[in-house]
Amino acid sequence: MNYATITETDMEALRAIVGEENASFSIEERLCYAYDATNRDYMPDGVLFPATAAEISEVFKLANARPFPVIARGAGSGFTGGSVPVDGGVVLSTERMNRIIEIDTENMTALVEPGVVNGDLQTAVEAEGLFYPPDPSSLKFSTIGGNIAECAGGPRAVKYGVTRDYVLGLEVVLPTGEIIQTGVKTMKGVVGYDLTRLIVGSEGTLGVVTRATLKLVALPETVKTMLAVFPSLYAAASSVNDILLSSPLPSTLEIIDGACIRAIRDFSGGKALPEAEALLLIEVDGTDETVLSGTETVRRICVEGGATEVRIAAGKREARELWQARRAISPSLKKIKPDKLNEDVVVPRSNIPALIEGIQDIAKERGVIIASFGHAGDGNIHVNIMIDSSDPDEDKRGQEAVRDVFELTLKLGGTISGEHGVGTAKAPYLGMELSADVIALMRRVKESFDPNGILNPGKIFCSAPIEG
């Protein structure tokens, strides 16, 4: 697609839409919105900070008339390049749209704008005795709009589900400028196609979410955090299914391998976690009675599975320290190598041991370090292939390892992405998982929403995908 160059006339029109102080075309400002967590830079032509759906609608109308690309952006914390402006154009930052409009305690819903930070929403609803379960590792800075775009999950997904399970309805600005309402505020609703679920996880390619009605649940009475120490990663992985078959179901069940443990210990000066080849970080929530019986059951299963130690956090402070260590894994991996290829594959939970073994074999075969951790409770493992990308040979072996991991995952009945989405990073691999007919149908859906191809171009679909 050939896009128009943004002119001075366009800049003046955009300033008129969002306000002089809410439009920037300076190099300094544009640089701040040129990248996400993939650290791949694509310079936008401008950055806008709209405050209403009506302003976004007017931006789209101008963009279609020219045409030039428009890319919505939350906190820019994604791992697949989903919010980077690969074809230039203007970035729509939602950071001004950050209001929690309503917390309805009677109907257990919240109405929020897309720029609300996930952690801030959790704090606000918990003050009302309510609970918003989706908790990505980036919850302290990632926004609800970005969470919706990627269908974010997090550790609590094993019991509570992911973002799509909590989105009841949306206000969305379509790429052609229409402002639509999807979904309902009720717990049920089957009138017409489920456009809400279509938008959730669409990576900002079908529309820009400007309001979301979210389902809330009751805040658990008690939460207990546990840490189980294992002599091998396989032993830890093998205990996962037995834990999941027990009652009550844990609210989180995380696995951390030896490479991650050593990186965290190095990062924290050896204080954060015990030395081990593998750890399970587990939480049980519910009533005092169910949590007491649940923690004892999990402890017994872990010991029977070979755990050398099972530690129950004495209080909120110790539990918080364990979770701080878990959330520090990604930055601590820099201690191993300067770069990482971060994949978030998912397999059926019974196949986690086979996935773990296979990943270890790939690391040996390709001569790379692979650090694995993640949400063992729902089969979602974050596979970090650690490389120095300035070394061409190591970079090549790392890329080959990515393909190997994807092939293994699909062979085990899994998917190549559970949370991070496709974006640009996984676009070449789409054909390994999806048939040509399915990809063609998805392209037609995209074209029906965005006939001029202005919204977040260059994402999900690749002109020459790798086929399985």
Side-chain angles (χ1 to χ4, degrees):
M1 173 100 184
N2 294 320
Y3 295 106
T5 301
I6 291 179
T7 64
E8 287 291 337
T9 302
D10 295 327
M11 293 180 194
E12 286 305 310
L14 292 168
R15 290 188 183 103
I17 293 170
V18 300
E20 183 81 25
E21 69 281 9
N22 299 314
S24 179
F25 302 95
S26 71
I27 292 177
E28 295 81 3
E29 193 92 63
R30 288 156 54 203
L31 275 170
C32 294
Y33 295 84
Y35 61 89
D36 68 358
T38 60
N39 290 320
R40 297 173 183 172
D41 295 352
Y42 297 90
M43 182 74 87
D45 299 309
V47 184
L48 307 179
F49 304 92
T52 66
E55 290 177 358
I56 294 172
S57 173
E58 291 303 313
V59 170
F60 277 142
K61 290 173 185 177
L62 176 62
N64 278 287
R66 294 283 296 129
F68 58 74
V70 179
I71 304 92
R73 178 185 172 99
S77 58
F79 281 107
T80 59
S83 66
V84 295
V86 295
D87 290 303
V90 295
V91 168
L92 287 180
S93 171
T94 60
E95 58 199 83
R96 289 180 66 214
M97 304 177 73
N98 60 0
R99 294 181 301 151
I100 299 174
I101 298 168
E102 177 188 38
I103 297 174
D104 183 341
T105 56
E106 287 188 322
N107 292 301
M108 301 172 72
T109 62
L111 179 62
V112 305
E113 292 183 323
V116 172
V117 172
N118 180 300
D120 292 344
L121 175 63
Q122 292 194 29
T123 299
V125 301
E126 286 174 19
E128 302 292 335
L130 297 171
F131 187 38
Y132 180 69
D135 62 333
S137 293
S138 56
L139 65 89
K140 290 187 177 179
F141 46 87
S142 68
T143 62
I144 294 298
N147 292 173
I148 289 171
E150 300 296 335
C151 191
R156 292 194 291 244
V158 58
K159 179 176 181 179
Y160 290 102
V162 296
T163 297
R164 66 168 171 252
D165 301 309
Y166 294 87
V167 180
L168 296 173
L170 297 170
E171 178 183 81
V172 182
V173 185
L174 300 181
T176 42
E178 298 94 334
I179 302 171
I180 66 168
Q181 310 289 329
T182 75
V184 293
K185 191 178 178 179
T186 57
M187 292 298 111
K188 293 181 179 179
V190 291
V191 177
Y193 295 131
D194 191 345
L195 295 179
T196 303
R197 286 228 169 183
L198 180 59
I199 296 295
V200 176
S202 63
E203 302 189 40
T205 63
L206 300 182
V208 176
V209 172
T210 49
R211 288 190 178 189
T213 300
L214 305 175
K215 180 177 74 172
L216 307 175
V217 296
L219 186 66
E221 182 180 306
T222 303
V223 180
K224 281 291 184 184
T225 304
M226 311 174 66
L227 188 71
V229 180
F230 287 85
S232 73
L233 188 58
Y234 186 82
S238 298
S239 297
V240 168
N241 247 24
D242 289 336
I243 294 171
L244 293 172
L245 290 171
S246 67
S247 181
L249 182 68
S251 55
T252 67
L253 179 46
E254 299 285 288
I255 194 167
I256 307 172
D257 78 357
C260 293
I261 295 165
R262 288 185 284 275
I264 295 169
R265 285 177 59 81
D266 191 17
F267 190 70
S268 65
K271 299 176 183 178
L273 296 173
E275 290 187 49
E277 284 306 309
L279 299 171
L280 291 180
L281 180 59
I282 308 155
E283 280 192 341
V284 179
D285 69 5
T287 64
D288 291 342
E289 183 179 351
T290 58
V291 168
L292 181 63
S293 65
T295 52
E296 176 53 31
T297 298
V298 169
R299 187 201 65 77
R300 175 182 53 77
I301 291 171
C302 288
V303 170
E304 290 174 353
T308 57
E309 179 188 358
V310 180
R311 181 190 305 172
I312 300 176
K316 290 184 178 179
R317 179 178 178 179
E318 188 176 348
R320 186 167 57 249
E321 288 172 351
L322 288 173
W323 280 107
Q324 285 172 345
R326 161 62 180 86
R327 298 187 194 281
I329 292 177
S330 285
S332 71
L333 291 178
K334 289 282 186 181
K335 293 285 186 178
I336 300 175
K337 289 279 185 175
D339 304 299
K340 65 179 177 179
L341 302 171
N342 181 3
E343 308 303 339
D344 67 318
V345 299
V346 190
V347 295
R349 295 181 301 207
S350 61
N351 284 337
I352 291 176
L355 176 67
I356 293 297
E357 279 194 317
I359 288 170
Q360 292 175 328
D361 291 341
I362 291 167
K364 291 175 184 175
E365 182 180 342
R366 295 300 182 186
V368 294
I369 298 171
I370 300 182
S372 299
F373 67 94
H375 320 312
D378 54 21
N380 185 189
I381 305 298
H382 294 277
V383 180
N384 296 269
I385 300 164
M386 307 307 301
I387 59 171
D388 182 349
S389 59
S390 66
D391 179 339
D393 178 63
E394 190 165 285
D395 184 65
K396 179 175 181 291
R397 285 185 281 115
Q399 297 295 340
E400 289 170 343
V402 169
R403 173 70 186 261
D404 293 342
V405 169
F406 288 166
E407 287 179 343
L408 172 64
T409 298
L410 295 171
K411 182 180 178 181
L412 294 173
T415 176
I416 65 174
S417 182
E419 298 177 319
H420 295 168
V422 177
T424 59
K426 286 189 173 72
Y429 302 99
L430 199 66
M432 291 180 66
E433 181 169 337
L434 303 180
S435 71
D437 287 342
V438 168
I439 294 172
L441 176 59
M442 289 181 176
R443 285 183 180 273
R444 293 199 297 273
V445 171
K446 165 66 172 170
E447 289 165 6
S448 70
F449 274 75
D450 185 16
N452 292 319
I454 63 158
L455 181 58
N456 206 12
K459 313 299 165 58
I460 303 178
F461 306 109
C462 181
S463 58
I466 296 169
E467 296 182 358

